[in-house]
Amino acid sequence: MTESLLAAARAAQANAHAPYSRYKVGAALATPDGRVFAGCNVENAAYPSGTCAEAGAIAAMVAAGGRAITEILVVGDGPEPITPCGNCRQRIREFADAATRVHAAGAAGVLASFTLDELLPASFGPRHLPPV
C-alpha cells in the first residue's frame, strides 16, 4: 500500500500551488476499505490562508464519505523527511488512532515512518469528548 500512496502523493504534489514558498507538498491516505485520497498544498497571497496537503487529502476522504485513516504519506522535495505540521497531526488524529502509520517521503522515496503516537504523543481526540 505504501507504494500506491507514494505514487498518489507525488501526482498530487505535481499539482501543488506553491508560488511563494516554492515548496510543493503532496499527501495521500488510505482508508480501511482500501480507497486512496490525495491532496496538495495550496498557498495563498493572504498568509496563512493556504491549506496543507494533508488537509486536502482528508477533505477529499470526508467528501467521499470516508471517516477513518489507516495510513498516510507526505512527500516533499527536501533532503529531510517531511512530517505533518502540528495542525495536520491533529487533523489526522481526528480520523486515526495512535498506531496509524505516518510515512515521510522525499525525492528518494520513503525516508521514515512513524506511528501517530510518536508524532503526537498523549493526543487529544474524539474519544475524550462526551458522546453527542
Side-chain angles (χ1 to χ4, degrees):
M1 176 58 77
T2 306
E3 286 304 315
S4 62
L5 290 177
L6 182 57
R10 281 189 171 148
Q13 179 190 23
N15 293 319
H17 178 72
Y20 309 107
S21 72
R22 292 182 177 73
Y23 191 77
K24 294 183 174 191
V25 179
L29 62 85
T31 60
D33 60 6
R35 292 185 294 167
V36 172
F37 296 94
C40 61
N41 59 322
V42 180
E43 295 179 350
N44 189 296
Y47 287 103
S49 295
T51 56
C52 296
E54 301 91 325
I58 291 168
M61 175 193 74
V62 171
R67 293 294 184 269
I69 298 171
T70 56
E71 69 181 304
I72 186 166
L73 183 144
V74 184
V75 63
D77 287 332
E80 296 293 320
I82 180 173
T83 59
C85 71
N87 285 335
C88 285
R89 292 175 192 205
Q90 189 64 46
R91 285 184 181 105
I92 295 164
R93 173 65 177 90
E94 184 70 17
F95 301 99
D97 61 33
T100 299
R101 301 301 296 173
V102 180
H103 307 288
V110 175
L111 302 171
S113 292
F114 309 89
T115 65
L116 183 56
D117 193 52
E118 289 173 316
L119 293 176
L120 192 65
S123 65
F124 180 84
R127 293 186 197 134
H128 290 94
L129 299 173
V132 181

